[in-house]
Amino acid sequence: MSDLPKFVYVNECGPREGFQFEKRNIPTPDKIAFVDQLSDTGIKAIQFASFVSPKWVPQMADSDAWVDGIKKVPGIEYTGLWLNLQGLERALGHRDKLTITPGFSLNASETFSKKNTNRSVAEKLDEMPGYVAKFRELGFEKLDIGVAVAFGCNYEGAISTERVMSLLRDQETRAKDLGMKIGEVTLYDTMGWGNPLQVKRLVGAVRDRYPDNSVCLHLHDTRGAAIANFIAGLEVGVDRFDAAVAGLGGCPFAAHKGAAGNICTEDVVFMCQEMGIETGIDLDAMIEAGIKAEELVGHPLPGKIKVGGNLATYRAKASAAAKAAA
Amino acid sequence: MSDLPKFVYVNECGPREGFQFEKRNIPTPDKIAFVDQLSDTGIKAIQFASFVSPKWVPQMADSDAWVDGIKKVPGIEYTGLWLNLQGLERALGHRDKLTITPGFSLNASETFSKKNTNRSVAEKLDEMPGYVAKFRELGFEKLDIGVAVAFGCNYEGAISTERVMSLLRDQETRAKDLGMKIGEVTLYDTMGWGNPLQVKRLVGAVRDRYPDNSVCLHLHDTRGAAIANFIAGLEVGVDRFDAAVAGLGGCPFAAHKGAAGNICTEDVVFMCQEMGIETGIDLDAMIEAGIKAEELVGHPLPGKIKVGGNLATYRAKASAAAKAAA
């Protein structure tokens, strides 16, 4: 583990991934205040709004007001999600607040692609020209690509490394034909199937093929492996991770199988702190945000460090006690 | 990760570590039935009774009846806990059911030693001759040793590798003076302070000093690092772990800081399954035991796989669906 990254870049996506699952309606002013609280933690990227149909995701119906309401802190990338060109157009209406990221991805599972996006994988790939035209118009030269359900699928079972690599090549080829280079590559463990051996194998294959591109991991904690997969990612040089404050993204106590949250932001920050890796994030402030998230959703969330306590505090107390005794 | 162990030996200690924390009184017949259920999972070691004062741990007052009641399955090591020679004598009264393990350990934290055992570390070490006399009388030639609070202490802060090694040497020297060799070495992360780098560093130091002794890790999940520490242990060749079904051992939702449970048995078994490591344990049966544990204690327990679901089941379903479609 001698060559762990010196700095880990965390993309907070709890307000987007998490709130869309909740039954309780969270008032827009509370959502705005929550993003502002996250902005004060030192985090450098926050994904919060979702420009999708309010028919499908009613919890995100107030996304325009939410974006309008936040205080934009310089140096932070605020992003939203879209799943079609209409959504992208809505996001573009908020360029005073939002950073537009030129991203595209495919699902490794045909079944999930149809269920989640109502399109086959091939149909989804055929939508790339529309996005690329827009991104080129905006001045982008590189397209970020990714594969969702890259570690396994509740419907289709195991997903092979070859399948993931082939979907990345398909995106790369199409993007090049459209005059764009490849930027960041994101691998999504959408259904929490990954294990550390698989993370190292899959990331290794991606690094071999795309040695100059940064790799980002999006790890769900459905089966308790997320933090181990995070460490495995670090060990093969990954330094960009999506994460969700308090482990937002699902309710593990509602037998809501498969809906468990993303890896917990403050647990990731804690782990980095303990291993001497910088994140630029104030752990205590992020723990406070995690506690706030629980208050907003009205039930316990899975993050551990907000209960277990920051070791820096214990070390400081012990050191003060030792000095007092000396 | 090419030289991970082929087989991992899990010592189930949930019924001992877990039930002692619970406010609800669990009837003795339920406790007996629970150990019998665990005996049917394929696990090879179960620690359940505690021969300690009922004044301090009333939940363990029925330990004698509990031990008498279980069905002893051949090939399983059933053990109990004692904290003094009186407790050991009580355990010896159950040799028809219990395996006596010749163990000794010291706390790395002076403060915790006094709080937990009412003895200083030196006073505890001075008790070794009494135990060793008993163990030699029973025919043992090797003493298992260990260090608790080996990864950090909520009272004293960081614990150095040197401190742990020095406490192991103290035990080794004393045991040799008393005519016993050293057996297994257990490192206890009693307060959940460990991280993967530290696990590798500390286990590495122990392996260097005791290359022929097996090492066991006891990992609490207070801060969400247990599964990552487990993987780190595997990577440096550790193949013996304590674990607790469902993550028994504390109530993470009662702000009961520092009392979080041991690493979850079924999550460990799942992780081994996914990485091709044998445990001899039937994962589905252990998940059922985890669900039973929640029923007995009457509140959610932290294990993840009992909610997320065994991937072997998803793979089998996907494979059957693919065959039906072909």
Side-chain angles (χ1 to χ4, degrees):
Chain A
M1 290 205 196
S2 56
D3 51 356
L4 296 179
K6 299 269 180 293
F7 189 95
V8 159
Y9 179 92
V10 180
N11 177 32
E12 171 59 48
C13 53
R16 200 276 304 167
E17 277 222 35
F19 291 170
Q20 69 186 9
F21 273 102
E22 297 298 330
K23 284 191 187 124
R24 176 192 277 205
N25 176 50
I26 301 167
T28 311
D30 287 349
K31 287 181 176 170
I32 292 168
F34 186 60
V35 170
D36 289 343
Q37 182 172 352
L38 287 169
S39 294
D40 281 341
T41 62
I43 197 147
K44 292 282 166 274
I46 306 173
Q47 186 184 60
F48 62 110
S50 225
F51 300 105
V52 294
S53 166
K55 204 173 76 187
W56 300 114
V57 191
Q59 297 91 333
M60 292 289 151
D62 61 352
S63 282
D64 293 293
W66 191 3
V67 174
D68 285 339
I70 67 150
K71 284 187 210 91
K72 184 177 162 77
V73 171
I76 301 181
E77 265 196 4
Y78 300 91
T79 59
L81 180 83
W82 55 83
L83 296 172
N84 55 32
L85 282 168
Q86 238 180 313
L88 172 55
E89 288 296 343
R90 266 178 78 197
L92 284 169
H94 294 283
R95 292 189 70 189
D96 56 325
K97 294 281 172 72
L98 295 184
T99 301
I100 302 299
T101 47
F104 191 82
S105 67
L106 294 176
N107 281 300
S109 158
E110 195 67 68
T111 316
F112 183 73
S113 186
K114 281 177 193 147
K115 282 185 194 274
N116 196 44
T117 69
N118 206 25
R119 295 170 190 79
S120 70
V121 175
E123 283 165 352
K124 185 82 201 327
L125 186 59
D126 283 340
E127 293 183 349
M128 192 194 275
Y131 286 104
V132 163
K134 193 46 114 183
F135 293 141
R136 294 196 55 167
E137 195 186 307
L138 294 167
F140 290 109
E141 293 176 351
K142 285 185 179 178
L143 183 71
D144 297 333
I145 60 175
V147 177
V149 201
F151 292 80
C153 172
N154 291 347
Y155 302 108
E156 298 193 352
I159 300 286
S160 69
T161 300
E162 293 67 32
R163 169 81 176 150
V164 175
M165 295 311 295
S166 140
L167 290 168
L168 288 174
R169 274 194 304 274
D170 289 348
Q171 293 176 78
E172 181 193 10
T173 307
R174 189 67 72 101
K176 281 191 175 159
D177 289 348
L178 297 164
M180 277 189 108
K181 290 175 197 157
I182 293 308
E184 183 164 284
V185 177
T186 300
L187 301 170
Y188 299 83
D189 188 8
T190 314
M191 301 192 190
W193 277 59
N195 67 66
L197 289 180
Q198 190 185 12
V199 167
K200 292 189 177 183
R201 195 165 58 231
L202 188 51
V203 170
V206 171
R207 286 206 167 281
D208 284 349
R209 178 70 189 78
Y210 303 98
D212 301 324
N213 301 61
S214 74
V215 174
C216 175
L217 287 174
H218 180 103
L219 304 166
H220 278 260
D221 198 30
T222 318
R223 293 171 181 89
I227 202 81
N229 292 338
F230 165 72
I231 301 286
L234 291 180
E235 288 179 346
V236 289
V238 178
D239 61 359
R240 298 176 76 85
F241 295 87
D242 289 346
V245 61
L248 272 166
C251 180
F253 308 111
H256 193 168
K257 294 199 184 190
N262 214 303
I263 191 169
C264 170
T265 307
E266 63 270 27
D267 289 2
V268 161
V269 173
F270 166 71
M271 195 59 109
C272 287
Q273 166 188 288
E274 295 300 304
M275 303 202 303
I277 299 169
E278 296 289 331
T279 60
I281 297 166
D282 178 326
L283 176 53
D284 291 321
M286 193 55 83
I287 289 173
E288 286 305 314
I291 293 166
K292 185 70 191 177
E294 280 189 327
E295 193 188 311
L296 290 176
V297 302
H299 59 78
L301 288 166
K304 287 272 188 178
I305 197 69
K306 64 184 160 50
V307 180
N310 182 0
L311 287 181
T313 312
Y314 287 92
R315 280 190 289 260
K317 262 192 238 168
S319 160
K323 265 183 205 158
Chain B
M1 289 208 199
S2 54
D3 50 357
L4 296 179
K6 301 269 180 289
F7 189 96
V8 158
Y9 179 92
V10 181
N11 177 32
E12 171 59 46
C13 53
R16 200 275 305 167
E17 277 221 35
F19 291 171
Q20 71 186 10
F21 272 103
E22 297 297 330
K23 285 192 186 122
R24 177 191 277 205
N25 175 49
I26 302 167
T28 311
D30 287 349
K31 287 182 177 170
I32 292 168
F34 186 60
V35 170
D36 288 342
Q37 182 173 353
L38 287 169
S39 293
D40 281 340
T41 62
I43 197 146
K44 292 283 165 273
I46 306 174
Q47 186 184 60
F48 63 110
S50 226
F51 300 105
V52 294
S53 165
K55 204 173 78 185
W56 300 114
V57 191
Q59 298 90 334
M60 292 289 150
D62 61 353
S63 283
D64 293 292
W66 192 2
V67 175
D68 285 338
I70 67 149
K71 284 188 210 90
K72 185 176 161 78
V73 171
I76 300 181
E77 263 196 5
Y78 299 91
T79 60
L81 180 83
W82 55 83
L83 296 173
N84 54 32
L85 282 169
Q86 237 180 316
L88 172 54
E89 288 295 344
R90 266 178 77 195
L92 284 169
H94 295 284
R95 293 187 71 187
D96 56 325
K97 294 280 172 72
L98 296 183
T99 301
I100 302 299
T101 48
F104 191 83
S105 67
L106 294 176
N107 282 301
S109 158
E110 195 67 69
T111 316
F112 183 72
S113 185
K114 282 177 194 147
K115 281 183 194 278
N116 196 46
T117 69
N118 206 24
R119 295 170 190 78
S120 70
V121 175
E123 284 165 350
K124 185 83 198 337
L125 185 58
D126 282 339
E127 294 184 350
M128 192 193 275
Y131 287 103
V132 162
K134 193 51 126 178
F135 293 140
R136 292 194 58 166
E137 193 186 309
L138 295 167
F140 290 109
E141 292 177 352
K142 284 185 179 178
L143 183 72
D144 297 334
I145 60 175
V147 177
V149 200
F151 292 81
C153 172
N154 291 347
Y155 302 108
E156 297 193 353
I159 300 286
S160 69
T161 300
E162 292 68 32
R163 168 82 178 150
V164 175
M165 295 311 296
S166 139
L167 290 168
L168 289 174
R169 272 195 307 273
D170 289 347
Q171 293 176 77
E172 182 194 8
T173 306
R174 189 69 70 102
K176 281 192 175 159
D177 289 347
L178 297 164
M180 278 190 106
K181 289 176 197 158
I182 294 308
E184 184 163 286
V185 177
T186 300
L187 301 170
Y188 299 83
D189 188 8
T190 314
M191 301 194 190
W193 276 61
N195 67 66
L197 288 181
Q198 191 185 9
V199 167
K200 292 189 177 182
R201 195 166 56 232
L202 188 51
V203 171
V206 172
R207 283 205 168 286
D208 283 350
R209 179 71 188 76
Y210 303 97
D212 301 323
N213 302 61
S214 74
V215 175
C216 175
L217 286 173
H218 180 103
L219 304 165
H220 278 259
D221 198 30
T222 318
R223 294 171 181 90
I227 201 83
N229 292 339
F230 165 72
I231 299 287
L234 292 180
E235 288 180 348
V236 288
V238 178
D239 61 359
R240 299 176 76 85
F241 295 87
D242 290 346
V245 61
L248 271 167
C251 181
F253 308 113
H256 192 166
K257 292 197 185 192
N262 214 303
I263 192 168
C264 171
T265 307
E266 63 271 27
D267 289 3
V268 161
V269 173
F270 166 71
M271 195 59 108
C272 286
Q273 166 187 288
E274 295 301 305
M275 302 202 304
I277 298 169
E278 296 290 331
T279 59
I281 298 165
D282 179 327
L283 176 53
D284 291 322
M286 193 54 83
I287 290 172
E288 286 306 314
I291 293 167
K292 185 70 191 176
E294 280 188 327
E295 194 188 311
L296 290 176
V297 302
H299 59 78
L301 288 167
K304 287 273 188 176
I305 197 68
K306 65 185 160 51
V307 180
N310 183 358
L311 287 180
T313 312
Y314 286 93
R315 280 190 288 261
K317 263 193 236 168
S319 159
K323 266 183 203 158

